[in-house]
Amino acid sequence: KKVQVEFINFSDSNKDLQDLLYNSLYTEVPIVEYAYSIANKNREMLSAINYLHEIINDKYPKLQVSFMKLYYAWFQINTDYYTPTVEQFKDFSSPVDTWIPLISNHGLAYGLDIAKEQQKEGLGDDKKLKEIEVAIENIELHIEDDPNFIKLQEQLQSEIDYLIVVNIANNALFLVLFISAIVIMSILMSMRISTNLISKIHNVESSLQKISDGDLTTQVVDVSDDEFTLLANSFNTLTSMLLSKTASMKAIMNEISEIISEDMNMDALMIKIVELAKQSSKADAATLLLVDKFTDVLRVEYTDGFFPPPYSVSISVKSKRSLIMEKFKSTPIAFHSCYLAKDSVLKGHPLFIKDTEIEGGEMPLNSNPQDIQFIKSSMTIPLVVSNKLLGVISLAKTNRDEIFSDLDYSNLVSFVEYVSLTIDNIYKYLELLEKSEMKREMDIASEIQKQLLPKKIPVINNVDISAFSESAKGISGDYYDVYKISGTKSVATVCDVAGKGVAAALVLVIIRTILHLASHSKSTSKDLLNFLNKSISDRVKTDNIATLTVLIYDSETNKINISIAGDTPILIYRNKKNVVERVSHSDIPVGIDTTTVYEDKEIHMDEDDVLYMFSDGLLEVRNDFNDIFSIDELEAFILEHSRNRTETISVLLKNYIDEFRGSHARVDDETVVIFKKI
């Protein structure tokens, strides 16, 4: 193969040199650089042919005859053509003989033209002209390869190829014989040991099957004192460790179950979790850090043992372990600041650093064995509850001679997963209890609210009244009332208490009770509001204040006296003019300030005029496009439908609002009282 490679190099160099010499007639490469390439290629060709001459004559006598024929043919070409031509190019590139200005950047053919022009002008040099002509003539004479030389090349190439094939065939025969011998020996050896090996494999397979079925007491017995004995011993050690860890995990689960069954004390549970994690993995220290609800930090909840902090502490603090622990327990750990709050840990991925002296990059401040903050081995497991990071449990070995095993790590991961499920179930149970209490409260409040609404609207002379109230979430903060205070006078109210639940319902009870007790034949609407405000201000929470509209109708005088606490207006449809009037006050809600004084207005109602009282929830209705039901749209509805009876108007208005709302949820309670003069 080496001979073949060198022969190819020789043939390629010979061809390249011929091409270079021919191209020198018309090249635009500087003559110095071109002459250098020709000289290099000539040296390559000489090196290859000399190597072939030496190795073939020394090692390959079968190639000598063909090679020497080729060598003599080449030697003649080299003597007549290559050698003198290469020497001429050395002269052409020599600055001493002033050839470079003549043919510096041109081929020899163009250089010849320049030399002839100079001769015509009497400036030429006959010697240089002759040399260029000879060089060109010699190159043109050898443009075509010598057929005999090509034939000798092909013959030698054929003999080299044949010799390679013969050598490969001989090597292949030897290789086949060698492999056959190995196969026969292997068959004989395998037949000798197969019975014993199959028996041992069956023994191990049977033991593995028993373990997969849950029998961790299985032991592999092997006394052959070979590799299978080592395998059996390792297998038995593993099963013993698994049995021990399984028993430990069972005991841990029992202890956690006992804590849960006693009082569901989450603080006690968290402490026990840390203690059990440390105990089961034989750690030197363990800590539980919980995510702060308001800032991106972890706070130490509980620590068992001396747990070195993951950050620098002052020399004075390092003087005592107790000071270090006080520092650790009181210092929050910012997200992404150390291995305990690493990005991957915050995303729920456990972090196991078996040996900090090898993997110290994750814990640079805890990897120095000479430092009191040294941690030899660390396991940090995120505590994820309902796909949300609750905190981190981290265990440490500070003894330089001990590290956590892979089994310790897998057991801790399983333990924390069990703890996460347990905490999740506790939270869900507590949430269920809370929802149960809330439902009970909602049922009570809803019942109170239903009792407040008038079971039947009283009959009032010359007036048609209807009303409805729709709650947003089952318990309404709204209520309306219509009641008589004399033979000719009646009161109508619409009230909206801020807040929901039992507290808001009780405020509604108080307001209704006070209004009924304070109402008499001489009452005005402002008297009732002022009395109510003084009665409940400073006695109800600020989140239970109320907006209120009080209307007193006198059927004898056909006048309405009205007072408004809040910014929700009333609307009056005037039948004769077919217009809608707005009546509003800027008074503040009741229950805020005892010194607030409410005013009233007198309104005259003609036949078929309609007065609309409503809570602000009516103007907060939103549709699927998040558009709000405006007061202008309410007025448009009033203009279109106020000639109907009030009961019909109520039904049409509810349907109109529901159609506007679409699939959007009700955002606030909606209460309306419609009062029509007939």
Side-chain angles (χ1 to χ4, degrees):
K1 296 294 288 186
K2 178 79 176 190
V3 170
Q4 185 183 48
V5 170
E6 287 299 326
F7 181 72
I8 291 172
N9 289 340
F10 164 73
S11 299
D12 290 344
S13 298
N14 183 70
K15 182 69 171 63
D16 292 344
L17 182 58
Q18 284 183 313
D19 291 343
L20 282 170
L21 291 171
Y22 176 73
N23 291 335
S24 68
L25 299 177
Y26 307 103
T27 184
E28 293 183 359
V29 177
I31 195 64
V32 174
E33 182 179 337
Y34 209 85
Y36 179 75
S37 297
I38 290 173
N40 280 345
K41 191 58 66 176
N42 186 55
R43 279 194 294 272
E44 289 178 13
M45 183 177 63
L46 289 172
S47 175
I49 195 68
N50 288 334
Y51 174 82
L52 289 171
H53 187 277
E54 179 180 348
I55 195 169
I56 288 174
N57 288 329
D58 184 38
K59 294 184 178 181
Y60 301 102
K62 292 182 180 180
L63 300 176
Q64 283 181 357
V65 175
S66 296
F67 174 73
M68 292 310 297
K69 289 180 180 179
L70 175 70
Y71 181 78
Y72 290 134
W74 170 83
F75 185 80
Q76 188 65 42
I77 295 172
N78 186 58
T79 303
D80 296 342
Y81 176 41
Y82 291 147
T83 299
T85 306
V86 170
E87 289 300 322
Q88 279 185 308
F89 268 90
K90 288 182 181 179
D91 293 339
F92 293 157
S93 62
S94 172
V96 177
D97 294 331
T98 65
W99 279 100
I100 292 176
L102 186 64
I103 54 174
S104 61
N105 291 313
H106 311 289
L108 296 181
Y110 190 71
L112 178 62
D113 293 338
I114 295 174
K116 288 179 178 180
E117 290 294 329
Q118 290 179 349
Q119 189 179 40
K120 289 179 181 179
E121 296 174 1
L123 301 175
D125 186 328
D126 292 340
K127 182 181 178 182
K128 284 185 172 56
L129 180 63
K130 184 63 178 176
E131 285 185 32
I132 294 175
E133 287 177 342
V134 169
I136 292 173
E137 182 180 349
N138 203 11
I139 290 170
E140 289 178 342
L141 181 64
H142 291 87
I143 287 176
E144 298 294 334
D145 291 331
D146 183 356
N148 182 53
F149 182 74
I150 294 173
K151 183 177 180 181
L152 291 173
Q153 276 185 301
E154 292 174 349
Q155 182 178 348
L156 181 59
Q157 178 66 58
S158 176
E159 291 183 10
I160 292 172
D161 292 342
Y162 174 75
L163 188 60
I164 289 173
V165 171
V166 170
N167 285 336
I168 290 174
N170 292 334
N171 291 337
L173 178 61
F174 172 77
L175 184 62
V176 168
L177 294 174
F178 179 73
I179 292 175
S180 298
I182 291 176
V183 169
I184 293 171
M185 292 175 64
S186 299
I187 292 172
L188 293 174
M189 292 177 65
S190 64
M191 288 176 64
R192 184 177 179 182
I193 65 174
S194 60
T195 303
N196 185 37
L197 184 61
I198 291 172
S199 175
K200 292 181 179 182
I201 291 174
H202 178 72
N203 189 16
V204 173
E205 181 183 15
S206 176
S207 300
L208 286 172
Q209 183 61 45
K210 290 179 180 179
I211 288 179
S212 65
D213 292 338
D215 183 6
L216 297 180
T217 61
T218 302
Q219 297 283 299
V220 178
V221 179
D222 188 280
V223 293
S224 57
D225 197 24
D226 57 11
E227 289 80 1
F228 268 88
T229 303
L230 296 175
L231 176 62
N233 292 337
S234 299
F235 182 89
N236 295 335
T237 301
L238 175 62
T239 56
S240 299
M241 291 176 63
L242 287 173
L243 190 62
S244 173
K245 292 295 184 181
T246 302
S248 174
M249 183 65 72
K250 184 177 180 181
I252 288 172
M253 291 179 178
N254 288 336
E255 288 196 49
I256 291 177
S257 298
E258 288 177 9
I259 294 174
I260 294 172
S261 61
E262 287 174 2
D263 58 1
M264 283 198 192
N265 186 320
M266 290 300 295
D267 292 335
L269 177 62
M270 293 296 186
I271 292 172
K272 180 57 70 173
I273 287 169
V274 176
E275 292 174 349
L276 291 174
K278 178 187 173 210
Q279 174 187 331
S280 65
S281 58
K282 297 180 180 179
D284 296 317
T287 186
L288 170 66
L289 302 98
L290 298 181
V291 175
D292 190 279
K293 293 181 180 179
F294 306 104
T295 56
D296 290 342
V297 297
L298 295 173
R299 297 188 183 276
V300 178
E301 182 71 13
Y302 180 70
T303 299
D304 186 4
F306 174 70
F307 196 97
Y311 44 78
S312 297
V313 296
S314 64
I315 296 176
S316 60
V317 172
K318 277 189 176 182
S319 62
K320 290 184 179 180
R321 287 195 169 199
S322 58
L323 295 177
I324 294 176
M325 289 310 300
E326 287 178 13
K327 174 74 172 176
F328 179 60
K329 291 177 181 179
S330 62
T331 304
I333 297 176
F335 284 6
H336 318 295
S337 63
C338 65
Y339 74 96
L340 292 175
K342 188 179 177 183
D343 184 59
S344 60
V345 174
L346 298 176
K347 290 180 179 178
H349 303 295
L351 177 63
F352 179 29
I353 303 174
K354 184 177 286 188
D355 191 341
T356 60
E357 294 187 72
I358 299 174
E359 310 168 63
E362 295 281 3
M363 303 169 61
L365 297 175
N366 303 102
S367 57
N368 182 4
Q370 310 304 320
D371 196 290
I372 194 172
Q373 291 182 240
F374 175 67
I375 294 176
K376 177 65 173 178
S377 189
S378 170
M379 297 187 294
T380 303
I381 314 297
L383 189 58
V384 179
V385 178
S386 295
N387 296 320
K388 183 178 180 182
L389 182 68
L390 180 66
V392 170
I393 294 176
S394 186
L395 276 65
K397 279 186 179 288
T398 55
N399 188 330
R400 195 175 181 184
D401 298 327
E402 297 181 4
I403 62 173
F404 292 117
S405 67
D406 292 331
L407 187 58
D408 291 328
Y409 171 66
S410 62
N411 281 336
L412 182 63
V413 171
S414 299
F415 169 72
V416 175
E417 287 176 354
Y418 169 73
V419 168
S420 297
L421 288 173
T422 302
I423 294 174
D424 190 27
N425 288 334
I426 291 174
Y427 282 163
K428 287 177 179 176
Y429 177 72
L430 294 175
E431 183 181 356
L432 189 63
L433 286 179
E434 184 180 352
K435 286 182 178 179
S436 178
E437 290 296 325
M438 289 176 60
K439 184 178 184 304
R440 183 169 173 273
E441 180 181 334
M442 289 173 64
D443 291 343
I444 293 172
S446 180
E447 188 61 30
I448 292 172
Q449 192 267 339
K450 289 176 182 177
Q451 293 295 327
L452 294 179
L453 298 177
K455 294 181 176 58
K456 184 179 180 181
I457 295 176
V459 177
I460 301 173
N461 292 335
N462 304 322
V463 174
D464 178 21
I465 300 178
S466 69
F468 66 85
S469 183
E470 302 286 343
S471 62
K473 297 177 182 177
I475 306 175
S476 178
D478 288 3
Y479 105 99
Y480 69 88
D481 199 2
V482 180
Y483 58 94
K484 286 189 173 184
I485 57 176
S486 72
T488 59
K489 288 187 177 182
S490 301
V491 176
T493 62
V494 171
C495 180
D496 181 4
V497 175
K500 302 288 182 186
V502 172
L506 291 176
V507 173
L508 287 176
V509 171
I510 293 170
I511 291 174
R512 182 181 183 278
T513 302
I514 291 173
L515 287 177
H516 276 260
L517 289 175
S519 299
H520 54 81
S521 60
K522 301 296 183 181
S523 297
T524 63
S525 58
K526 71 177 181 180
D527 293 337
L528 295 179
L529 275 185
N530 286 322
F531 183 78
L532 174 64
N533 183 59
K534 289 178 181 179
S535 300
I536 68 172
S537 291
D538 300 329
R539 290 179 175 83
V540 298
K541 295 180 180 179
T542 55
D543 54 356
N544 289 131
I545 61 174
T547 59
L548 191 69
T549 299
V550 177
L551 176 152
I552 299 178
Y553 173 66
D554 188 343
S555 60
E556 185 177 1
T557 62
N558 199 30
K559 289 184 179 180
I560 291 177
N561 177 257
I562 192 164
S563 187
I564 302 173
D567 56 2
T568 305
I570 64 169
L571 300 179
I572 302 174
Y573 171 72
R574 299 297 187 182
N575 181 56
K576 291 181 179 178
K577 297 181 180 180
N578 194 33
V579 296
V580 177
E581 293 180 3
R582 294 185 193 178
V583 178
S584 61
H585 281 197
S586 59
D587 292 327
I588 62 175
V590 295
I592 296 178
D593 184 2
T594 57
T595 63
T596 301
V597 177
Y598 295 93
E599 300 297 333
D600 58 3
K601 289 185 178 181
E602 294 289 336
I603 298 174
H604 179 78
M605 295 279 287
D606 292 326
E607 186 177 340
D608 290 331
D609 286 351
V610 186
L611 184 144
Y612 293 81
M613 302 164 62
F614 50 89
S615 64
D616 61 357
L618 196 67
L619 302 180
E620 294 177 1
V621 176
R622 292 181 179 271
N623 62 15
D624 295 331
F625 303 100
N626 211 32
D627 300 324
I628 296 178
F629 184 74
S630 67
I631 194 168
D632 293 332
E633 288 177 286
L634 177 58
E635 289 179 350
F637 172 87
I638 290 172
L639 286 172
E640 184 176 353
H641 299 287
S642 289
R643 291 183 175 84
N644 294 302
R645 290 184 58 81
T646 58
E647 187 174 351
T648 303
I649 296 173
S650 293
V651 173
L652 292 173
L653 181 55
K654 282 197 289 186
N655 293 340
Y656 185 76
I657 293 171
D658 288 341
E659 184 179 345
F660 175 86
R661 183 176 13 249
S663 61
H664 199 285
R666 184 176 281 108
V667 296
D668 197 6
D669 307 326
E670 300 159 10
T671 301
V672 179
V673 173
I674 304 173
F675 189 98
K676 184 172 185 177
K677 179 70 173 64
I678 57 176

